[in-house]
Amino acid sequence: MVRYGRKYRRGVQLNNNRRSSSITKTSRIHLYNFFSTIRSRLTCLIGYKCSTMSLIFHRTRLKSRYILSIFVGLSLGFALSLACLPIISVCDNPLSLFSEPFASSFNIRFGNDTFSLHDKFDPFRILNREPRSVVDVTLVDYGSKDYEPQIHPPQLEVNLNNNKSLSTSTQPSNTSKVTRPRYIADELGIREKVLVAILTEPNHLNTFAFFLNQTLQDHVNRLLFFIDEDAQDFPRSMQVISVHDKRAYLKPFYVLKYLAEKMIKLYDWFVLLPDNTFVRGYKLNEFLNHISISQDLYMGQAFDDVHAVYCYFGSGIILSGTVLRKILDELDWCTNNAYSQDLTDNIGRCILKAAKLPCTNTASNYKFTAYVNYRFEYDTDIDRLSKSEDFNQTLTVHPINDLETMLKLQKYFNQVEIDEMTKSISKYEETIEELSCYAPEGCGNIPWPVGVPPSFKPPTRFDVLRWDFFNETHIYLKTDNDVINPMDDGDYEDVHEVIDHAIEQLQNKYGIQLKLKKLINGYRQFDPTRGTHYIMDLSLIDKNQIEYIKRVELMRPLGLVEIIPMPFVTETTKIFLILPIYTDEQSIAIRFLRHANKTLFDKETRDKFELLLTHVVVTKHELSQTQKWFDNLRHEIDLLHRTRPQLTVTYHTVLFPSSTITRYTHSTYILDFFETKLRTNSLIFLTNPYVNIESDFLNRCRLNVIENVQIFFPIAFYQYHPHIIIRTHHMTDNSTIDLHKSHGWFNSYAFDHFGIYMSDYLNLKKLVLSNNISLSSVNLYDLFVQLTDIHILRAPDQSLRVHYKSIKCDSIKRTNIIEYNRCLMQREKGLASRSQLAMIIIENEPTKKTTRKKDKK
């Protein structure tokens, strides 16, 4: 039936009802032949090639009758062609081609009413078809060009009025503008997995509720704690909602109402439980990941008595979003019929009324298991329960009467999950080894360890990964500029953890007690595709003092990569560039202004940038001369304003309380000075006049500094001594610094340039005062590391280049030994590269020998 129906459905619309099924195959064939004959006849008349008409006129012997017959045939052909043209060219002609003339010819007026033949029969109905929707999608030919749907507004609008005839309008209708949401997840209706609502008490916020918050927050999408009165003393990481109703039996309905009105569009599953229930977060998340969200679900642990249709609230209740939506519609009935003090009874009765669902503990072939025992004692019962597979697979344990039992259960189930993961990993490794025989490389040619991606293969010699050699206390050749460095706390802990794990594995393999004598050799390589690779030669001794030397190879694979959520930042934030200038640095500041005029001032506007020229003085005499000292800088700024009228520059003077304040610790005093002059949400970048700032740096600073989250300490490129650079490289102008290894180095020992919000500095200042720390002896970077948890972004920046200046370290030798060592390193490495210094020594060697000979004579 489908095979024949496909051909004649083009010309005739058939109704697929029961009557069409009674048509026999023979009648369908005759119907098809009938329409095929009509189609061929019409085609002949349109194309002027009908052989039947030609034969009729060919028998005529008289010439005049022959010509007359041809004329009649041509006229008849034209007439029939025009009559059949709208039916055949329906899909090819635009809608406005025949709509107006035929519509006007078929309308007959009777008084005030209009009668249209379209109401009874309209052979042109397909031409006057109304648009299907607000917009119409036009499809193009796949073969001619790439398919791209085009959206057009409707071109026809039918107006039905009592006083006017039926007509068509060619003006497009006014369509409302489509407003799309900001995120595609909102448009597609993508929701997060699970929200857990915990009913607790104000006096439990810092005990049971805090424990559940710490153990569940990494496994569920959101945690909400509901209490029946206001509370102020609770951890900031918890989201607490107060329900102002002392009737405890109505508290669950307030929770359900809040979830249904505010959270139902954001989450798939909702879990309700009290605060004295232990929950396995990892197991709960794994359980919900296997359940389909396309079902109404009321899941939990049912009672074994008359309340078997209700889920026990103590063991936890899982609700789907569809059930929660139905509860909202019947919430008034639920509150009016909540006559029991048992929360299980009230919630179950409400769900049974709203969703017509009894409690179930199975969905998608996965079973919800809970352990409920009011006489549970961990110390006496855990040995027996640990042998039960049902207890090891349970999701919740209820009730828990003390926090110590909660901690013990958490430790026990963590070990259970570790054992399950270890068995699963071993099973996967065996499967991979078995399937490796079917790979092109053959059996045994899989990378070690099994399941970890293969090692990185460098395409060129510049991409070879570095191996770090280490012993128990130091790391050798950690960077290109360092020969040996003592291990910091992180490296020390990392290396000794690997050594202890290696000794433990050797003891399990050989069955003897071994003790580390010394680490002979150690090699470490970080591979960004797989993890950290270790090769170590260990000297071990047993209880009989027999020495063993073993080489071990270990791999610390990369864990789950997580995306750290960061606040939204823009490049439109106004930045205040503070430039502290000492009295002897006036010419240096003028050079800074001239270079910044080429790179910064043309792209920054008044509402995005402000330059704060700050004269730093240490004596009262300098303070009295500060206005005169600014004259040269004002003259330079006036010249810049001729071409940069949008530039905003302000002048300030800071008097340090003591002349012993060094350039390495003066940033805190400068920020204290601007504390009252700038707002707390002001973005500040503090630097020195020796720097050259490129055009793209300030936007990068705006993006890298996030209030209350992150500060920015870029590593600038410091220039070598110009007299040494010019010996090997030609320098035409010292106002610019080329980014080249023979021209300078990235100074990681300097912290003179940083971006920060004023509010972050004020918060740090409160911590400094509470810890009685002197600001004159500690660097600002060290204070943030020691006292705060704020992120510090520190990375090389090629757009920040600093001119060479001589470094003096004697003034800070007594105040801060750490800063003194940093200063010595800058003075040692900031003069020139090792190869340049070696060339100077070699070139001066003949001169030294000549001088020695003269001295001997």
Side-chain angles (χ1 to χ4, degrees):
M1 181 174 63
V2 175
R3 183 178 303 172
Y4 292 102
R6 183 181 304 172
K7 295 184 178 181
Y8 57 77
R9 273 181 201 158
R10 300 177 183 175
V12 178
Q13 181 179 0
L14 297 180
N15 296 324
N16 295 326
N17 49 22
R18 296 181 180 178
R19 187 175 300 176
S20 62
S21 62
S22 62
I23 301 177
T24 61
K25 182 176 181 181
T26 304
S27 61
R28 286 196 300 267
I29 294 175
H30 287 300
L31 187 60
Y32 165 72
N33 294 333
F34 172 73
F35 280 107
S36 298
T37 304
I38 294 178
R39 185 190 306 172
S40 61
R41 297 284 180 167
L42 292 177
T43 304
C44 294
L45 292 174
I46 295 170
Y48 318 113
K49 294 181 180 180
C50 183
S51 59
T52 304
M53 185 176 293
S54 299
L55 290 175
I56 293 173
F57 291 109
H58 181 70
R59 295 177 182 178
T60 307
R61 297 179 178 180
L62 296 177
K63 185 175 181 179
S64 59
R65 296 178 64 184
Y66 177 78
I67 297 174
L68 181 61
S69 300
I70 292 177
F71 178 75
V72 173
L74 291 175
S75 301
L76 184 60
F78 274 114
L80 292 177
S81 298
L82 291 176
C84 299
L85 182 60
I87 299 178
I88 296 175
S89 59
V90 165
C91 299
D92 299 330
N93 290 324
L95 198 58
S96 61
L97 183 61
F98 294 102
S99 58
E100 293 182 0
F102 281 99
S104 60
S105 62
F106 278 87
N107 289 337
I108 306 173
R109 295 181 61 88
F110 293 94
N112 294 332
D113 298 330
T114 300
F115 171 75
S116 177
L117 294 180
H118 292 282
D119 298 336
K120 189 173 182 181
F121 174 75
D122 185 9
F124 306 103
R125 184 179 301 149
I126 192 170
L127 296 177
N128 295 331
R129 185 180 300 163
E130 296 181 1
R132 292 173 294 176
S133 60
V134 177
V135 295
D136 192 15
V137 180
T138 302
L139 304 181
V140 298
D141 187 11
Y142 283 36
S144 60
K145 53 183 178 179
D146 294 338
Y147 165 71
E148 290 186 4
Q150 300 176 358
I151 299 177
H152 300 284
Q155 300 296 326
L156 294 180
E157 181 179 355
V158 179
N159 297 324
L160 294 175
N161 297 322
N162 295 330
N163 299 326
K164 294 184 179 181
S165 61
L166 181 64
S167 62
T168 58
S169 174
T170 59
Q171 297 180 356
S173 60
N174 295 328
T175 58
S176 60
K177 184 178 179 181
V178 179
T179 302
R180 300 186 63 183
R182 180 181 181 88
Y183 301 102
I184 192 172
D186 297 335
E187 187 173 18
L188 298 179
I190 299 175
R191 297 182 294 269
E192 295 188 71
K193 178 61 66 175
V194 58
L195 181 147
V196 177
I198 300 175
L199 278 66
T200 183
E201 302 295 334
N203 56 346
H204 290 175
L205 288 176
N206 293 295
T207 54
F208 290 100
F210 180 72
F211 176 83
L212 291 174
N213 183 72
Q214 295 298 106
T215 56
L216 291 179
Q217 63 181 353
D218 294 333
H219 304 289
V220 300
N221 300 107
R222 193 165 184 177
L223 275 167
L224 297 178
F225 297 89
F226 293 85
I227 58 177
D228 52 7
E229 61 185 38
D230 293 332
Q232 301 295 333
D233 184 18
F234 59 87
R236 292 184 178 180
S237 60
M238 299 172 58
Q239 299 185 34
V240 179
I241 300 172
S242 178
V243 177
H244 297 89
D245 197 327
K246 295 298 183 180
R247 294 172 293 181
Y249 64 94
L250 293 180
K251 189 175 180 180
F253 300 115
Y254 286 104
V255 176
L256 293 172
K257 184 176 186 295
Y258 180 86
L259 297 179
E261 291 180 347
K262 299 183 180 297
M263 301 295 171
I264 194 169
K265 295 182 179 180
L266 304 178
Y267 301 94
D268 291 328
W269 302 107
F270 299 88
V271 181
L272 279 69
L273 48 89
D275 60 357
N276 63 341
T277 299
F278 175 80
V279 184
R280 298 176 63 183
Y282 175 80
K283 203 71 176 178
L284 177 64
N285 186 32
E286 184 184 35
F287 177 78
L288 293 177
N289 283 334
H290 290 88
I291 299 178
S292 174
I293 62 173
S294 61
Q295 56 181 324
D296 295 347
L297 194 63
Y298 169 44
M299 175 176 282
Q301 182 75 33
F303 276 159
D304 293 334
D305 54 4
V306 294
H307 299 291
V309 293
Y310 300 157
C311 293
Y312 180 47
F313 175 70
S315 61
I317 298 174
I318 299 176
L319 297 176
S320 62
T322 54
V323 172
L324 191 61
R325 188 176 289 106
K326 295 177 181 179
I327 293 175
L328 181 62
D329 299 335
E330 298 290 343
L331 204 57
D332 293 337
W333 184 93
C334 296
T335 54
N336 294 331
N337 291 272
Y339 48 80
S340 175
Q341 296 296 326
D342 187 2
L343 301 185
T344 300
D345 193 13
N346 292 335
I347 297 174
R349 187 185 301 106
C350 178
I351 296 175
L352 190 62
K353 166 65 177 178
K356 308 296 188 295
L357 289 176
C359 178
T360 180
N361 62 350
T362 305
S364 302
N365 295 326
Y366 286 88
K367 186 177 181 181
F368 179 96
T369 57
Y371 180 77
V372 180
N373 186 358
Y374 284 89
R375 298 180 180 179
F376 173 71
E377 293 291 339
Y378 180 86
D379 296 331
T380 58
D381 297 341
I382 194 62
D383 292 336
R384 173 180 55 84
L385 294 174
S386 61
K387 301 176 183 179
S388 173
E389 186 65 23
D390 293 338
F391 181 77
N392 291 334
Q393 297 298 324
T394 189
L395 297 178
T396 61
V397 179
H398 177 83
I400 306 299
N401 299 320
D402 57 279
L403 195 59
E404 183 180 358
T405 304
M406 285 266 196
L407 294 171
K408 291 179 180 179
L409 283 173
Q410 180 69 24
K411 182 179 179 181
Y412 171 77
F413 283 113
N414 284 345
Q415 188 61 44
V416 171
E417 292 168 2
I418 291 174
D419 295 340
E420 291 178 354
M421 291 180 183
T422 303
K423 293 179 181 179
S424 179
I425 291 173
S426 300
K427 182 179 179 180
Y428 289 141
E429 288 179 352
E430 294 176 359
T431 304
I432 292 173
E433 291 177 355
E434 293 176 359
L435 295 178
S436 65
C437 297
Y438 300 96
E441 295 82 4
C443 299
N445 291 325
I446 55 178
W448 179 89
V450 179
V452 177
S455 58
F456 172 74
K457 295 181 180 180
T460 63
R461 62 186 180 92
F462 301 102
D463 301 316
V464 176
L465 300 178
R466 178 193 298 271
W467 281 93
D468 298 329
F469 177 79
F470 61 89
N471 56 23
E472 295 183 54
T473 56
H474 290 75
I475 297 180
Y476 297 83
L477 302 175
K478 187 176 182 180
T479 64
D480 294 334
N481 300 321
D482 299 328
V483 178
I484 182 172
N485 296 94
M487 289 185 180
D488 56 20
D489 295 339
D491 289 331
Y492 184 85
E493 183 181 355
D494 173 62
V495 168
H496 284 77
E497 182 181 2
V498 173
I499 293 174
D500 295 340
H501 182 75
I503 295 175
E504 181 182 354
Q505 296 297 320
L506 291 173
Q507 290 179 156
N508 295 335
K509 181 177 180 179
Y510 295 106
I512 57 176
Q513 292 294 324
L514 297 174
K515 185 178 180 181
L516 178 68
K517 183 178 180 181
K518 68 175 182 177
L519 174 64
I520 302 174
N521 298 309
Y523 306 91
R524 182 180 65 177
Q525 181 193 62
F526 175 72
D527 190 335
T529 62
R530 60 202 312 253
T532 307
H533 192 191
Y534 302 86
I535 298 177
M536 297 183 297
D537 298 326
L538 304 177
S539 176
L540 307 170
I541 57 175
D542 59 5
K543 60 182 180 180
N544 297 324
Q545 300 301 315
I546 300 176
E547 184 178 3
Y548 302 90
I549 297 178
K550 295 290 183 181
R551 166 163 285 192
V552 296
E553 186 176 0
L554 301 96
M555 168 64 66
R556 190 192 294 270
L558 291 175
L560 180 64
V561 179
E562 299 181 8
I563 299 177
I564 301 176
M566 299 295 287
F568 179 72
V569 292
T570 64
E571 296 180 353
T572 60
T573 306
K574 185 174 183 178
I575 187 169
F576 295 87
L577 197 153
I578 301 177
L579 190 70
I581 310 170
Y582 286 83
T583 304
D584 57 346
E585 296 176 343
Q586 189 181 70
S587 61
I588 306 299
I590 293 176
R591 182 181 63 185
F592 169 84
L593 293 174
R594 292 175 179 174
H595 185 272
N597 183 43
K598 302 176 183 178
T599 59
L600 292 182
F601 298 157
D602 60 333
K603 297 184 178 180
E604 299 294 338
T605 58
R606 186 183 301 270
D607 57 342
K608 292 180 57 179
F609 177 79
E610 183 174 338
L611 178 62
L612 285 69
L613 298 179
T614 307
H615 184 204
V616 179
V617 297
V618 294
T619 62
K620 293 184 178 180
H621 176 70
E622 291 179 337
L623 182 62
S624 62
Q625 300 293 326
T626 184
Q627 295 298 328
K628 184 178 180 180
W629 183 88
F630 270 121
D631 289 342
N632 293 334
L633 292 178
R634 285 195 179 95
H635 176 70
E636 190 69 25
I637 294 298
D638 291 340
L639 295 177
L640 295 179
H641 274 153
R642 295 179 181 179
T643 56
R644 314 291 186 206
Q646 79 280 4
L647 179 63
T648 304
V649 181
T650 56
Y651 304 90
H652 308 273
T653 302
V654 178
L655 175 63
F656 282 175
S658 174
S659 59
T660 60
I661 298 174
T662 64
R663 297 172 186 250
Y664 304 99
T665 58
H666 70 176
S667 57
T668 54
Y669 293 94
I670 294 175
L671 292 176
D672 285 340
F673 173 78
F674 286 102
E675 177 182 342
T676 57
K677 298 181 180 297
L678 299 177
R679 296 180 179 179
T680 58
N681 61 346
S682 299
L683 174 59
I684 299 170
F685 182 74
L686 193 145
T687 182
N688 59 52
Y690 290 89
V691 69
N692 285 354
I693 303 178
E694 302 301 325
S695 59
D696 59 339
F697 175 77
L698 291 184
N699 280 339
R700 191 154 51 248
C701 182
R702 293 183 177 101
L703 297 178
N704 290 336
V705 183
I706 306 173
E707 190 175 6
N708 299 325
V709 177
Q710 181 172 283
I711 59 177
F712 183 38
F713 277 85
I715 300 176
F717 184 80
Y718 277 65
Q719 185 187 32
Y720 288 143
H721 199 294
H723 293 169
I724 298 178
I725 298 175
I726 206 171
R727 295 170 65 96
T728 56
H729 292 78
H730 180 65
M731 291 179 59
T732 58
D733 186 9
N734 193 32
S735 62
T736 60
I737 303 174
D738 294 333
L739 190 68
H740 192 273
K741 65 178 182 179
S742 299
H743 288 214
W745 64 301
F746 284 102
N747 186 1
S748 60
Y749 302 97
F751 302 91
D752 301 338
H753 324 275
F754 60 87
I756 188 176
Y757 275 91
M758 180 60 75
S759 59
D760 294 332
Y761 173 72
L762 296 179
N763 295 333
L764 174 68
K765 191 176 178 181
K766 295 178 183 178
L767 297 175
V768 169
L769 296 176
S770 62
N771 290 274
N772 296 324
I773 299 176
S774 176
L775 293 174
S776 60
S777 60
V778 184
N779 194 344
L780 189 66
Y781 173 82
D782 296 328
L783 290 175
F784 273 104
V785 173
Q786 296 173 9
L787 301 179
T788 67
D789 295 331
I790 197 169
H791 296 170
I792 300 178
L793 179 60
R794 183 154 174 80
D797 199 308
Q798 63 179 3
S799 298
L800 208 62
R801 307 177 188 182
V802 183
H803 289 271
Y804 176 81
K805 66 175 180 178
S806 60
I807 300 176
K808 299 178 181 179
C809 304
D810 296 335
S811 60
I812 60 173
K813 184 175 182 180
R814 297 180 180 178
T815 57
N816 190 336
I817 188 63
I818 298 177
E819 203 64 45
Y820 177 69
N821 292 332
R822 289 173 180 168
C823 183
L824 293 178
M825 295 300 295
Q826 293 183 68
R827 188 173 67 178
E828 174 186 342
K829 297 184 177 183
L831 184 62
S833 64
R834 287 180 293 181
S835 60
Q836 290 171 324
L837 295 175
M839 291 298 297
I840 295 175
I841 295 174
I842 294 173
E843 291 175 0
N844 293 334
E845 192 67 25
T847 306
K848 291 182 179 180
K849 292 181 179 180
T850 306
T851 305
R852 290 173 185 172
K853 290 180 181 180
K854 290 181 180 180
D855 293 340
K856 289 180 180 180
K857 292 179 180 180

